[in-house]
Amino acid sequence: MRNKLISMREAVAQYTWDGMQYAHGGALPVGTDSIAFGKEMLKQGRKDLNVISNCNTQQTNLMAAAGAIKRMEVGFAGLEVYGFANGLKRAVETGKTILEDYSNGSIPLRLLGGALNWPFVPATINIGSDEEWCCADRPDEYPCETKIPRIKDPYTGKECGAFSVLKPDLAAIHVTMADIYGNAIMLGTEWSRYELSRAAKKVVLQADFIVDTDCMRQYPNLVRIPDVVVDAVVYWPLGAWPQCSTGVYDSDEKEMFAMNAAL
Amino acid sequence: MRNKLISMREAVAQYTWDGMQYAHGGALPVGTDSIAFGKEMLKQGRKDLNVISNCNTQQTNLMAAAGAIKRMEVGFAGLEVYGFANGLKRAVETGKTILEDYSNGSIPLRLLGGALNWPFVPATINIGSDEEWCCADRPDEYPCETKIPRIKDPYTGKECGAFSVLKPDLAAIHVTMADIYGNAIMLGTEWSRYELSRAAKKVVLQADFIVDTDCMRQYPNLVRIPDVVVDAVVYWPLGAWPQCSTGVYDSDEKEMFAMNAAL
Amino acid sequence: MDYTRQEMMAIATGREFSDGELAIFGVGLSMLAGFWAQKNHAPNLIAFTEGGVFGSTPVGGLPWGIEDNRISANATSFTNAIDALGCLVASGRVDNAVIGAAQIDKFGNVNTTGIWSGETPWSAGRYVLPKVRLNGSGGANEISVGAKKYVIMVTHEKKRFADKVDYISSPGYLNGGNDREKHNFVGGGPAAIVTTLGILRPDPVTKEFILDSYFPFSSIEEIKENTGWDLKISPDVKVVPEPTELELANLREIDVTGSLRKK
Amino acid sequence: MDYTRQEMMAIATGREFSDGELAIFGVGLSMLAGFWAQKNHAPNLIAFTEGGVFGSTPVGGLPWGIEDNRISANATSFTNAIDALGCLVASGRVDNAVIGAAQIDKFGNVNTTGIWSGETPWSAGRYVLPKVRLNGSGGANEISVGAKKYVIMVTHEKKRFADKVDYISSPGYLNGGNDREKHNFVGGGPAAIVTTLGILRPDPVTKEFILDSYFPFSSIEEIKENTGWDLKISPDVKVVPEPTELELANLREIDVTGSLRKK
């Protein structure tokens, strides 16, 4: 097994490019996210990004404010109790970022479908509402027949929808701790990071702590991301700041407001 | 939150009945399974069971030998290195038990589909083989069009299959430790016990250890079965015997062979 | 008695919850209402978050997000988005829930996605950018589709109570009557709209929301003036009982930071 | 040199694995072959089990099942069946694997489900009970459909090498040629059949398995006699190099209980 520990600069240089489909993980808008990775992407000038975001976070808020996001698929675009995400909101309102709406439950199912290499995922959610009928990619078509096409359940003859699956070029995932081979423990809700780690073509972990593999062997059931799905590991303490990393640090209230106010 | 700890006798009396769709969990044929629960079902004379079994274990081997299984859906029918499951094998060969074949990957996906209340699950596996074409429920139809019907992927126009979903009446699940409310930790592979605990209409846990809820709060990420999906908890040390409970006891080689030889 | 409109609204919402229900709350006001119900009259109300945080009560103040340490610190189980929003909510298992709205129509359809100021994104035959981009669905779409029933909390203002919402983020009764049946939704639809002025409930046949009751500090006239459609009044319209001293005391113990007491 | 036919078979199978491959092994002979390859020439061969047991090597003897303590004791990660068989195998990520067979035909279709002795379950126009019921697919169906390539291990006997298998549990090349394409299988199909007598490989166009090489203790004649169809012989058929001293020493270190040395 290969030592996958590399620097943040190297990870971004090697695994990201302009115009790529980039996914970040990502436990809800205030939670643990690969914020440091996203900042390094901006430092290295990445642009025209096609972002897969279960929820917006301060990472995508910043990226959108910087004009780096061309298109984004999202379940939720805000910052929970911290309010609207100013950077993203303005990018959408001015037409700089195309925002394709799904919901918090459908993005993870589409990632699961990608992980399983399914042709589509049955949709009992998002149908019957404008998530189905209104398509940001094809905004002039209404109702849009191609965003969540209808299919017939062969067992009952009734209709449901069919979600397209997601296989991002890269997932940058924040984890609480990882070893140098990419075994990783996430404390707190996984949200959709488990599915994301299997759906993405490449996976880079950003870890608050690097621990010995022997630690992983103590509670293998906690290691929900095994090394086999991971390409690189970056050590970056407080990497989710100003958001929280469950069990380690809470969100930085002052910085959360200040950062959003500046975007 | 209600104290759900009851006796094995009570659990079986209250949650099982003749002719029910019964699922056991079940980490592969030699692993942790609710063997003690199954034995108590036989003691109470349950029969005509419709069993959902990701894999056969000594529980279903015994039940089939006792003539209690009318029908069983299964991914694997053996006992791994312990050989064929004699009781089940004879019940099938003599026509007492109808065995419907799937695979080890499709049974958990069908449980996941049940848990999500999907109309069907896309099938990229089991198709193109006799798991698709040969149906034990409708044995005279070949190729059978209704076991795994074909559907068209609306994105590519290509065909895949559609699995029916599973929602067993009851799942009896072996776990390493549980609290009296039904929060549970499984050490070792979950196999499909996580999906099963969400798919079944009722869930009874059989635990090697009963621990305080405060233990659950130490590693909530290990608690993959939360109390909300559990109806009853039974304390039964060594409940997977003669099979293994990962991290606690290994399979009892002598008894595994002796038991199978007797069936 | 001295209480704020926000407090009345939280208490009226909380009264919609019964003991023993399985419920999902969002952050902010919705979570306060839920935890108040649990403390006040529904000790066995079981709540979880859409991140799959189970068994916890907030510590150290109202959480900024449903994944932060304030709500994660004393959890018994952490799972994930597919589990919470898929296996428990979209599947139809959840008894009751609360969602918010930026805009709502007389059939309880909710818009949290964007404001097009009278235009719809597609109405001109061409897509137009939203005047105000909002947060999107989050997990509310799953609740609206799957929960047995749910409450919509919304500030009672004419611009929010629209004849037709600009975008349906979370479907209520769509065009009324049995219109939900077209999409095979498993959930029952919204049971109540609790506003800053009173409570609206759906007509059992037409599913149009009508004024059921109003708060002691409000009036039928004030509510009609602040509703963007010709609001029907229930023949037995009544005044909502004002908070009892005990109810208010319990609420203020939950609302430790006094967020509801700002007038 | 002194080695058994079983040892030759295990080594010939293990030689099919290359360094850096992601592989899945079953229990028994297949696991010995895989761990031998890892020890002998492929130190970066990464193996996991269909239960989602990652990072482990057997301790205390050959595991009785792929979930028991012998294979779980030093794991780095435990996940589940959907992860291992779905996200890693059926998805098309796995490079190489081993499956077994009770019966096999010239296109590499595998039967592990039942023996009908010449009849097929449906051939008489009516279902007939199997003469011998076998174990079913297990995880082999996922491997046959999803793995980039895989090896089939089977005892070379005429009754096992059938013109047509009674039941296709795991599809090889079906009726040959491009027949797999009809089902959109992501995997490449079987690369080799390693028997107790030699190695068969598919013709690149027709996909019919032909004799590629035979073991030092065997012969073309012996193999043809033990094959139930008219086996074609490769124009450059060769003798498989016998185990080297180092290969054999490495195998015997893995096979601590000597299970392969019984003649």
Side-chain angles (χ1 to χ4, degrees):
Chain A
M1 187 61 72
R2 176 170 64 84
N3 179 344
K4 297 171 185 163
L5 193 65
I6 59 177
S7 73
M8 183 66 90
R9 193 178 301 174
E10 214 178 329
V12 168
Q14 191 175 340
Y15 291 100
T16 71
W17 61 91
D18 292 350
M20 77 183 301
Q21 193 179 53
Y22 168 71
H24 62 113
L28 289 151
V30 175
T32 175
D33 186 33
S34 54
I35 309 267
F37 191 92
K39 285 185 180 168
E40 180 63 28
M41 282 177 76
L42 291 176
K43 273 189 211 156
Q44 295 191 20
R46 292 290 170 270
K47 58 182 194 295
D48 295 330
L49 297 171
N50 181 353
V51 176
I52 304 300
S53 183
N54 195 337
C55 289
N56 166 71
T57 67
Q58 290 284 31
Q59 177 177 182
T60 39
N61 195 20
L62 180 66
M63 281 181 163
I69 302 181
K70 193 172 166 184
R71 185 179 169 282
M72 180 163 159
E73 300 187 36
V74 78
F76 184 75
L79 288 170
E80 299 181 85
V81 182
Y82 291 107
F84 293 110
N86 291 336
L88 179 61
K89 185 171 182 288
R90 202 176 46 255
V92 176
E93 289 168 0
T94 56
K96 277 188 197 147
T97 296
I98 293 171
L99 200 62
E100 191 71 271
D101 277 283
Y102 288 90
S103 69
N104 281 355
S106 58
I107 297 273
L109 289 172
R110 295 173 64 215
L111 290 170
L112 179 66
L116 290 164
N117 201 14
W118 280 356
F120 65 89
V121 173
T124 61
I125 51 177
N126 294 197
I127 57 171
S129 61
D130 279 316
E131 283 86 4
E132 174 182 359
W133 298 320
C134 193
C135 176
D137 284 326
R138 288 173 288 285
D140 295 338
E141 275 176 48
Y142 186 89
C144 179
E145 309 284 337
T146 49
K147 184 183 167 192
I148 308 175
R150 292 278 172 136
I151 48 172
K152 198 185 269 188
D153 165 22
Y155 292 96
T156 63
K158 288 184 184 173
E159 270 191 353
C160 68
F163 287 124
S164 59
V165 304
L166 293 171
K167 298 175 189 175
D169 291 322
L170 173 71
I173 301 179
H174 183 272
V175 298
T176 318
M177 53 197 106
D179 69 13
I180 60 170
Y181 307 113
N183 292 297
I185 292 176
M186 298 171 278
L187 299 183
T189 170
E190 292 175 2
W191 195 228
S192 52
R193 289 178 287 169
Y194 172 88
E195 290 79 18
L196 179 55
S197 71
R198 273 77 171 168
K201 297 190 185 84
K202 297 282 176 186
V203 172
V204 175
L205 302 180
Q206 171 197 294
D208 281 323
F209 303 100
I210 301 294
V211 300
D212 196 273
T213 301
D214 283 344
C215 298
M216 299 296 168
R217 295 194 202 275
Q218 292 187 294
Y219 291 101
N221 282 95
L222 286 178
V223 181
R224 296 270 296 163
I225 300 184
D227 49 24
V228 302
V229 301
V230 174
D231 297 278
V233 179
V234 174
Y235 173 45
W236 203 273
L238 287 168
W241 180 79
Q243 301 193 174
C244 75
S245 178
T246 310
V248 190
Y249 45 91
D250 217 334
S251 68
D252 179 338
E253 297 177 26
K254 206 176 148 193
E255 177 66 14
M256 284 293 283
F257 282 116
M259 182 173 172
N260 197 32
L263 297 180
Chain B
M1 187 63 68
R2 177 170 63 83
N3 178 346
K4 296 171 187 163
L5 193 64
I6 59 177
S7 72
M8 184 65 90
R9 193 177 302 176
E10 214 178 328
V12 168
Q14 192 175 339
Y15 291 101
T16 70
W17 60 90
D18 292 349
M20 76 182 303
Q21 194 179 53
Y22 168 71
H24 63 112
L28 291 151
V30 176
T32 176
D33 186 33
S34 55
I35 308 267
F37 191 91
K39 286 184 182 170
E40 180 63 26
M41 282 177 75
L42 291 177
K43 274 189 210 157
Q44 295 191 19
R46 292 290 171 270
K47 57 181 195 297
D48 295 331
L49 298 171
N50 180 352
V51 176
I52 304 299
S53 183
N54 194 337
C55 289
N56 166 71
T57 67
Q58 289 284 30
Q59 176 175 185
T60 39
N61 194 21
L62 180 66
M63 280 180 162
I69 302 181
K70 194 171 165 185
R71 186 180 169 280
M72 181 163 160
E73 301 186 35
V74 78
F76 184 75
L79 287 171
E80 297 181 87
V81 182
Y82 291 107
F84 293 111
N86 291 336
L88 179 61
K89 185 171 182 288
R90 202 176 46 256
V92 176
E93 288 168 1
T94 56
K96 275 188 198 149
T97 296
I98 293 170
L99 199 62
E100 192 72 271
D101 277 283
Y102 287 90
S103 70
N104 281 355
S106 59
I107 297 272
L109 289 172
R110 294 173 64 215
L111 290 169
L112 179 66
L116 290 164
N117 200 14
W118 281 356
F120 66 90
V121 173
T124 60
I125 50 176
N126 293 198
I127 57 171
S129 61
D130 279 316
E131 284 86 5
E132 175 182 359
W133 297 321
C134 191
C135 175
D137 283 327
R138 288 174 290 284
D140 295 338
E141 275 176 48
Y142 186 89
C144 179
E145 310 282 338
T146 49
K147 184 184 167 192
I148 308 176
R150 293 276 173 138
I151 48 172
K152 199 185 269 187
D153 164 24
Y155 292 97
T156 63
K158 289 185 185 171
E159 269 191 352
C160 69
F163 287 124
S164 60
V165 304
L166 293 171
K167 298 176 188 174
D169 291 322
L170 173 70
I173 301 179
H174 183 273
V175 299
T176 318
M177 54 197 106
D179 69 13
I180 61 170
Y181 307 114
N183 293 297
I185 292 176
M186 298 171 278
L187 298 184
T189 170
E190 292 174 1
W191 195 229
S192 52
R193 289 178 287 169
Y194 172 87
E195 290 79 18
L196 179 56
S197 70
R198 274 74 173 170
K201 298 190 183 85
K202 297 282 176 185
V203 172
V204 176
L205 302 181
Q206 172 197 294
D208 282 322
F209 303 101
I210 300 295
V211 300
D212 197 273
T213 301
D214 283 344
C215 297
M216 299 296 168
R217 295 192 202 276
Q218 292 187 294
Y219 291 101
N221 281 96
L222 286 178
V223 182
R224 295 269 296 162
I225 300 184
D227 49 23
V228 302
V229 300
V230 174
D231 297 277
V233 179
V234 174
Y235 173 44
W236 204 272
L238 288 169
W241 180 80
Q243 301 194 174
C244 75
S245 178
T246 310
V248 190
Y249 44 92
D250 217 334
S251 67
D252 179 338
E253 297 177 25
K254 207 176 147 192
E255 177 67 15
M256 284 294 283
F257 282 116
M259 182 173 173
N260 197 31
L263 297 181
Chain C
M1 194 157 17
D2 190 33
Y3 59 91
T4 67
R5 291 182 167 210
Q6 294 283 316
E7 286 178 325
M8 180 74 251
M9 189 188 194
I11 284 172
T13 302
R15 286 174 182 161
E16 298 288 316
F17 287 83
S18 306
D19 204 22
E21 285 181 329
L22 179 63
I24 183 163
F25 308 137
V27 280
L29 199 52
S30 138
M31 193 179 273
L32 284 173
F35 282 110
W36 171 76
Q38 200 178 50
K39 183 177 179 66
N40 190 70
H41 60 275
N44 298 303
L45 176 70
I46 304 164
F48 61 98
T49 77
E50 58 185 89
V53 178
F54 295 88
S56 67
T57 45
V59 294
L62 194 64
W64 290 100
I66 54 174
E67 71 285 24
D68 79 0
N69 283 311
R70 287 183 178 178
I71 189 77
S72 298
N74 58 3
T76 50
S77 172
F78 293 126
T79 62
N80 55 67
I82 291 182
D83 190 38
L85 289 174
C87 299
L88 295 178
V89 177
S91 69
R93 287 180 84 135
V94 153
D95 297 304
N96 211 340
V98 182
I99 70 172
Q103 213 182 32
I104 191 165
D105 69 21
K106 64 180 164 191
F107 293 117
N109 301 303
V110 162
N111 175 15
T112 53
T113 302
I115 300 297
W116 276 262
S117 299
E119 287 184 292
T120 45
W122 55 88
S123 62
R126 270 213 66 189
Y127 178 70
V128 284
L129 291 171
K131 297 281 182 300
V132 183
R133 170 68 211 197
L134 306 171
N135 286 340
S137 154
N141 185 276
E142 282 75 15
I143 289 171
S144 70
V145 160
K148 285 178 192 143
K149 62 179 182 176
Y150 60 96
V151 179
I152 303 165
M153 282 179 103
V154 54
T155 304
H156 214 132
E157 296 171 346
K158 194 159 198 163
K159 63 170 185 185
R160 294 178 185 270
F161 280 71
D163 191 48
K164 192 167 166 25
V165 291
D166 294 355
Y167 183 109
I168 300 178
S169 314
S170 299
Y173 298 105
L174 295 168
N175 295 306
N178 297 328
D179 209 27
R180 284 173 68 92
E181 284 178 15
K182 278 199 300 211
H183 309 290
N184 305 311
F185 295 149
V186 66
I193 302 172
V194 177
T195 81
T196 35
L197 299 176
I199 301 173
L200 283 61
R201 294 192 194 277
D203 177 275
V205 176
T206 66
K207 304 297 184 185
E208 181 175 331
F209 275 84
I210 62 176
L211 186 65
D212 175 80
S213 45
Y214 52 96
F215 294 150
F217 47 77
S218 180
S219 67
I220 295 175
E221 292 66 39
E222 186 182 358
I223 289 171
K224 278 182 79 78
E225 270 166 34
N226 285 285
T227 303
W229 71 83
D230 186 18
L231 181 68
K232 291 176 186 156
I233 312 300
S234 166
D236 51 343
V237 66
K238 47 202 172 299
V239 178
V240 176
E242 65 175 9
T244 65
E245 272 180 52
L246 181 62
E247 282 179 329
L248 210 53
N250 281 334
L251 183 63
R252 287 171 183 180
E253 272 188 55
I254 296 288
D255 180 25
V256 285
T257 58
S259 62
L260 301 177
R261 297 168 77 172
K262 297 172 208 143
K263 299 215 181 181
Chain D
M1 194 157 20
D2 189 33
Y3 59 90
T4 66
R5 292 182 166 209
Q6 294 282 315
E7 285 178 327
M8 180 74 252
M9 190 188 192
I11 285 172
T13 302
R15 287 174 182 162
E16 298 289 316
F17 287 84
S18 307
D19 203 25
E21 286 181 328
L22 179 64
I24 184 163
F25 308 136
V27 280
L29 199 52
S30 135
M31 193 180 274
L32 284 173
F35 281 110
W36 171 76
Q38 201 177 50
K39 184 177 178 67
N40 190 70
H41 60 275
N44 297 303
L45 175 70
I46 304 164
F48 61 98
T49 77
E50 58 185 90
V53 178
F54 295 88
S56 66
T57 45
V59 294
L62 194 65
W64 289 99
I66 54 175
E67 70 285 24
D68 79 1
N69 283 312
R70 288 184 177 177
I71 189 76
S72 299
N74 58 4
T76 49
S77 173
F78 293 127
T79 63
N80 55 67
I82 291 182
D83 190 37
L85 288 174
C87 299
L88 296 179
V89 177
S91 69
R93 287 180 84 136
V94 154
D95 296 304
N96 211 340
V98 183
I99 69 172
Q103 214 182 32
I104 191 164
D105 69 20
K106 64 180 166 192
F107 293 118
N109 300 303
V110 162
N111 176 14
T112 53
T113 301
I115 300 296
W116 276 263
S117 299
E119 289 186 291
T120 45
W122 56 88
S123 61
R126 269 211 70 188
Y127 179 68
V128 283
L129 291 172
K131 298 282 182 297
V132 183
R133 171 67 210 197
L134 306 171
N135 285 340
S137 153
N141 186 276
E142 283 75 15
I143 289 171
S144 70
V145 161
K148 286 180 192 142
K149 61 178 182 178
Y150 60 97
V151 179
I152 303 166
M153 281 178 105
V154 55
T155 303
H156 215 132
E157 296 170 346
K158 194 159 196 162
K159 64 171 186 185
R160 293 179 187 270
F161 281 71
D163 190 50
K164 194 169 165 25
V165 292
D166 294 354
Y167 183 109
I168 301 179
S169 313
S170 299
Y173 297 105
L174 295 167
N175 295 307
N178 297 327
D179 210 28
R180 284 173 67 92
E181 283 178 14
K182 279 200 299 211
H183 309 290
N184 305 310
F185 295 148
V186 66
I193 303 173
V194 176
T195 80
T196 36
L197 299 176
I199 302 173
L200 283 63
R201 295 193 194 276
D203 176 275
V205 175
T206 66
K207 304 296 185 186
E208 181 176 329
F209 274 84
I210 61 176
L211 185 64
D212 175 79
S213 46
Y214 51 96
F215 294 151
F217 48 77
S218 181
S219 67
I220 295 176
E221 292 66 38
E222 185 182 359
I223 290 172
K224 278 181 79 80
E225 270 166 34
N226 284 284
T227 303
W229 71 83
D230 185 18
L231 180 68
K232 291 177 186 154
I233 312 300
S234 166
D236 50 343
V237 65
K238 46 199 174 299
V239 178
V240 176
E242 67 175 7
T244 66
E245 274 181 50
L246 182 62
E247 283 179 330
L248 209 53
N250 281 334
L251 183 63
R252 288 172 182 179
E253 272 190 55
I254 298 287
D255 181 24
V256 285
T257 58
S259 62
L260 300 178
R261 298 169 77 171
K262 295 174 210 141
K263 298 215 178 181

